[in-house]
Amino acid sequence: MTEQTAEITPGQFGGVDPAAAGQQLNDKIGLKLVEMTPERVVGTIPVEGNLQPYGLLHGGANATVAEALGSVLAALNAGPERAAMGLELSCTHHRAVRSGTVTGVATPLHVGRGTITSEIVLTDDEGRRTCTARLTCVVRDRPPR
């Protein structure tokens, strides 16, 4: 897979606050979205800068990637007139990562009117699974502006 950053366009997701654009946690961890469709969202983060005290990738970084990719997937499936917000996140950390890049792939498990659940699989540079996560988002009609 070639590294090409996918762009989020204004109006692509319902109810996104433009004032929050420069304050995204995704930017702070170095998340790059490389593919975005309703069937699959892919993103990467560098391990460097996202470590815990023992020199391993922080579990919270895994959770952040999972929540971000699953939320984008849910928003794409919800459509521009609806808002998707995280309801429950579960992460199982399988393997430590000390360097390189972690890639996450989110795919839908359930797409309903009220909830969207996705599975997010994170792998290291060798393609080894490092974390499996499941995110359920609640979907609501976007409030009037």
Side-chain angles (χ1 to χ4, degrees):
M1 169 173 45
T2 59
E3 180 91 7
Q4 180 179 1
T5 303
E7 293 294 322
I8 295 177
T9 59
Q12 189 172 14
F13 305 119
V16 173
D17 181 0
Q23 302 178 52
Q24 301 300 302
L25 181 58
N26 297 349
D27 296 335
K28 295 184 184 344
I29 66 167
L31 178 65
K32 293 181 182 166
L33 295 172
V34 295
E35 180 182 336
M36 292 190 312
T37 70
E39 296 78 30
R40 180 176 149 107
V41 174
V42 180
T44 64
I45 64 162
V47 174
E48 183 178 346
N50 292 306
L51 302 178
Q52 44 94 305
Y54 296 112
L56 308 173
L57 179 66
H58 197 290
N62 282 337
T64 300
V65 171
E67 177 107 14
L69 298 181
S71 292
V72 169
L73 185 83
L76 289 170
N77 279 282
E81 297 304 316
R82 305 201 73 215
M85 296 156 282
L87 180 65
E88 181 180 31
L89 175 66
S90 170
C91 298
T92 301
H93 308 287
H94 305 293
R95 158 185 298 276
V97 184
R98 292 186 178 276
S99 63
T101 303
V102 170
T103 300
V105 179
T107 54
L109 295 174
H110 165 78
V111 177
R113 177 160 170 73
T115 60
I116 297 173
T117 301
S118 58
E119 177 183 60
I120 306 93
V121 175
L122 282 72
T123 56
D124 64 13
D125 287 333
E126 284 76 43
R128 298 174 297 194
R129 187 180 293 231
T130 61
C131 179
T132 303
R134 187 181 74 188
L135 175 70
T136 298
C137 290
V138 63
V139 180
R140 298 285 182 251
D141 289 336
R142 189 176 77 190
R145 295 191 187 250

